[in-house]
Amino acid sequence: MSQNLFADMRAHVVEALSDLLPVLTPEQLARVEVTPTRDPAHGDMATNAAMVAAKPAGRNPKELAQALAERLAALPLLSAAEPAGPGFVNLRLSPQALLDQIPVILTAGEAYGDGDAGAGVAVNVEYVSANPTGPMHIGHCRGAVVGDALAAVMAKAGFAVTREYYVNDAGGQVQALAWASYWRYLEALGSPITPEEFDAAAPSGLQYRGEYLIPVGQALRAALGPILATPDLGIADPATWFETVRDLALDMMLTEIRTDLELLGVRQDVFSSERKLLDSGAADVAIATLAADGLIYEGVLDPPKGKTPDDWEPRPQTLFRSTDFGDDVDRPLRKSDGSNTYFANDIAYHADKIARGSAILIDVLGADHGGYVSRMKAAVKAVSHGAVTLEVVLCQIVHVMRGGEAVRMSKRAGTFVTLRDLLDEVGRDAVRFTMLMRKSDAQMEFDLDQAVAQTRENPVFYVQYAHARCRSVLRAAAESLGATETTPEALAGADCAALDDPQELALIRRLIAWPRLIEGAAMAREPHRVAFYLYDLAGEFHMLWNKGRDDSTLRFLQADDAAGTRARLALVAATATVIRSGLMVMGVTPVEEMR
């Protein structure tokens, strides 16, 4: 028996359906599904097999469901198979089939739920990719957690995952960073130039004056002294200092970002530099490749929506035929001055990821990039000749709240909540779990009070508490029965026949849903499903715990019932195993005890 009972049952359903209707094609059989029932009163699973097969086979779906149910009812896995509705078949697992999964879980350990749905397909998940021009803030935090958890879910489901950070170390924002860092350098030297005088002399677009740049200026002063300034500590020719200041500032900001990511428990396998990519001429190569395929032309775009003839200047541009690939308008690759657009640079970057062997590209982006999705999907389809797909996961804004009021708690940044501040306030586990308690494309409120509360309303506490309770039971059992009797290997051999209470069976049903949950979350690119599942699993365990307080026969440790004790310890150990497996995917600590 495999870990995934839903996959096993689907194989049985397909076999039975093929016997009944040999005329069905593999494509038609591929549409067969076995899913949980919406109402547990109707059974554990349901299949659409009769409805899928009825039309191509020319059969009545209700009659076909009846015939299919009669065949499936003979399976040892099932205690019942009944036709329902317009052609579904409801399936109820036998109690023994449920109990047989406990040793499967204990034998697999935290690897329970590992699957092969991904079939080793190479996936590149790019996330965070914050401009290295300042501290990471809470908006970056959500994308970091979602991307990291998605990568973990897909790896567990059998995909070959590469986690990537694209360092935007080129363009106007980096120039602004260099100039702002140079101002902090002059400030560290004690320059008499005022901020207003500096602004008047510097190019427009200076955006960064946060206190986080003070250390950059001080580092420049410590390393180089006054040599980057004029003798009177004024502004020197940018040609003499720009690259030095830019490179040091970028290096310090990236060090800060890497530290923040480490504190958050987020890791990436690859850090790609935009500047290195562009310096290699990759954007020009990408444009030339599209041109060779006949996908580039010189043209004039229609005015954007909302523009009037008075404020629109039509001009010839180098355009990509993105409408050939589903976009709503062709997109410029070069500006009228001959320089490449940001879009052209992004095409080059995605072409680079494709060249490195990725079959699926997933970009985790802020919701403000929503308008960029269609053109990038078109570009990826074009440069890969349809062989590679781009998927985009959008993360909506996060509002930090305390006592029902919005919070601005950053000392260094001043205008936004930094990731470091949030981690200092509530800790990594609460940040990660809370970020995954809403679907990424839904706006969310991060309630600081709730994130530290020791109540059911705090999901990370509720789940960690369930794991801690499991571990507490197992420690107590080890003291009374001996450590060798309470190992997963020993408990995997327990006779679980004593587990017949409805709440015990409900908990087992929740446990066996984990492999299917992982597969579904991976295929739908929805890591928040893991958080929801763990919260529900914790609820089932807490209910059994509380029921045992009222009914002594359900208590986990019973001096006069050795067999029942071993059975219940096996269930507790299996529950702890699945919670750990889920928390590891989420990057959250499975604590041993609550303080």
Side-chain angles (χ1 to χ4, degrees):
M1 185 182 297
S2 75
Q3 294 184 16
N4 193 333
L5 276 183
F6 285 85
D8 290 348
M9 185 55 62
R10 183 185 179 280
H12 287 302
V13 170
V14 168
E15 181 181 8
L17 189 63
S18 298
D19 288 344
L20 285 169
L21 301 171
V23 297
L24 294 177
T25 66
E27 292 76 19
Q28 290 163 345
L29 292 171
R31 296 170 54 202
V32 172
E33 296 179 348
V34 174
T35 59
T37 57
R38 294 183 179 180
D39 184 350
H42 296 157
D44 299 303
M45 305 173 179
T47 180
N48 65 346
M51 296 183 68
V52 166
K55 185 173 181 180
R59 296 281 297 273
N60 180 291
K62 288 187 176 183
E63 293 178 357
L64 184 55
Q66 179 65 46
L68 185 60
E70 291 173 359
R71 281 183 171 256
L72 295 174
L75 291 173
L77 278 174
L78 298 178
S79 61
E82 301 171 343
F88 290 100
V89 178
N90 289 336
L91 310 169
R92 188 176 302 278
L93 293 169
S94 69
Q96 190 59 49
L98 294 173
L99 300 181
D100 286 345
Q101 282 298 297
I102 293 178
V104 173
I105 295 171
L106 294 174
T107 301
E110 286 77 20
Y112 183 65
D114 290 2
D116 56 6
V121 173
V123 179
N124 181 292
V125 184
E126 181 212 330
Y127 51 105
V128 189
S129 298
N131 287 323
T133 51
M136 289 186 63
H137 55 68
I138 193 167
H140 301 135
C141 173
R142 190 176 194 185
V145 172
V146 168
D148 200 53
L150 175 58
V153 166
M154 296 189 72
K156 193 169 180 68
F159 290 92
V161 179
T162 298
R163 305 161 182 244
E164 185 149 341
Y165 186 119
Y166 186 43
V167 182
N168 300 123
D169 52 3
Q173 288 188 319
V174 170
Q175 293 180 3
L177 171 68
W179 276 90
S181 299
Y182 186 65
W183 158 250
R184 291 299 186 183
Y185 163 72
L186 294 179
E187 184 182 53
L189 290 173
S191 170
I193 294 178
T194 66
E196 292 74 22
E197 291 171 334
F198 185 85
D199 286 350
S204 61
L206 227 70
Q207 301 173 21
Y208 307 105
R209 282 202 188 275
E211 293 181 19
Y212 53 85
L213 291 176
I214 291 176
V216 176
Q218 294 172 338
L220 285 164
R221 182 198 63 184
L224 300 170
I227 64 172
L228 299 183
T230 62
D232 60 352
L233 302 183
I235 303 172
D237 181 354
T240 66
W241 60 259
F242 182 83
E243 289 190 5
T244 299
V245 172
R246 178 198 63 193
D247 292 349
L248 185 139
L250 282 171
D251 184 65
M252 290 187 69
M253 289 298 101
L254 278 173
T255 298
E256 285 272 294
I257 288 171
R258 286 176 182 265
T259 299
D260 285 345
L261 292 174
E262 183 177 350
L263 290 172
L264 185 58
V266 169
R267 68 174 181 87
Q268 268 103 353
D269 304 310
V270 178
F271 281 75
S272 293
S273 165
E274 179 184 13
R275 181 147 49 98
K276 288 182 180 178
L277 185 72
L278 298 183
D279 288 348
S280 72
D284 292 333
V285 171
I287 292 174
T289 300
L290 292 172
D293 290 336
L295 299 174
I296 302 293
Y297 69 100
E298 297 297 317
V300 178
L301 292 175
D302 293 332
K305 294 178 180 178
K307 294 281 185 180
T308 64
D310 291 337
D311 59 7
W312 169 251
E313 180 183 352
R315 57 188 185 279
Q317 292 176 291
T318 301
L319 301 175
F320 162 53
R321 299 183 186 278
S322 56
T323 51
D324 289 0
F325 302 91
D327 198 4
D328 56 356
V329 64
D330 290 342
R331 305 290 181 174
L333 298 181
R334 288 201 173 105
K335 305 172 188 176
S336 54
D337 62 4
S339 62
N340 292 337
T341 62
Y342 284 117
F343 179 47
N345 297 345
D346 283 344
I347 293 176
Y349 171 52
H350 285 77
D352 178 66
K353 290 194 282 190
I354 293 169
R356 285 186 264 134
S358 297
I360 299 174
L361 306 181
I362 300 178
D363 292 353
V364 181
L365 303 173
D368 56 333
H369 289 77
Y372 210 55
V373 174
S374 59
R375 72 189 70 178
M376 278 314 310
K377 286 187 174 184
V380 167
K381 190 179 294 184
V383 297
S384 71
H385 300 101
V388 175
T389 59
L390 169 66
E391 302 174 23
V392 177
V393 176
L394 294 177
C395 295
Q396 280 286 355
I397 194 169
V398 179
H399 301 284
V400 179
M401 311 293 289
R402 180 188 279 120
E405 300 291 334
V407 173
R408 294 282 186 271
M409 63 186 186
S410 175
K411 295 184 177 67
R412 294 192 305 155
T415 57
F416 55 83
V417 178
T418 66
L419 171 58
R420 192 83 56 89
D421 293 328
L422 188 63
L423 290 170
D424 289 344
E425 183 89 6
V426 301
R428 184 183 80 181
D429 289 343
V431 169
R432 290 188 66 113
F433 205 109
T434 303
M435 288 292 176
L436 292 169
M437 280 302 291
R438 293 290 301 275
K439 191 174 179 181
S440 64
D441 61 1
Q443 291 193 21
M444 72 174 297
E445 292 184 351
F446 192 108
D447 190 316
L448 296 172
D449 298 323
Q450 179 178 300
V452 297
Q454 295 192 352
T455 67
R456 178 172 182 166
E457 283 65 42
N458 178 4
V460 67
F461 169 81
Y462 193 62
V463 173
Q464 287 180 322
Y465 191 30
H467 183 265
R469 275 182 157 175
C470 290
R471 297 299 300 157
S472 174
V473 170
L474 294 170
R475 283 194 299 270
E479 291 178 2
S480 61
L481 303 177
T484 58
E485 294 297 313
T486 56
T487 64
E489 295 78 12
L491 293 175
D495 180 356
C496 293
L499 301 175
D500 56 6
D501 184 83
Q503 188 56 49
E504 292 171 330
L505 297 176
L507 177 56
I508 299 171
R509 287 187 172 93
R510 188 74 65 178
L511 292 174
I512 68 172
W514 174 235
R516 182 182 182 277
L517 185 284
I518 278 291
E519 180 178 320
M523 303 310 288
R525 319 307 192 224
E526 293 184 345
H528 69 276
R529 294 188 187 187
V530 176
F532 292 177
Y533 169 83
L534 288 178
Y535 188 80
D536 290 341
L537 173 59
E540 296 283 7
F541 180 77
H542 288 310
M543 281 192 284
L544 179 58
W545 177 286
N546 292 331
K547 193 171 183 179
R549 295 172 63 180
D550 300 326
D551 182 352
S552 61
T553 64
L554 294 177
R555 291 174 186 170
F556 302 123
L557 301 176
Q558 300 185 28
D560 58 350
D561 184 3
T565 292
R566 280 175 53 80
R568 292 184 179 90
L569 288 177
L571 177 56
V572 170
T575 302
T577 296
V578 175
I579 293 176
R580 280 198 305 278
S581 180
L583 290 177
M584 289 169 65
V585 168
M586 296 181 70
V588 175
T589 308
V591 297
E592 291 291 306
E593 54 186 338
M594 303 300 289
R595 297 177 182 176

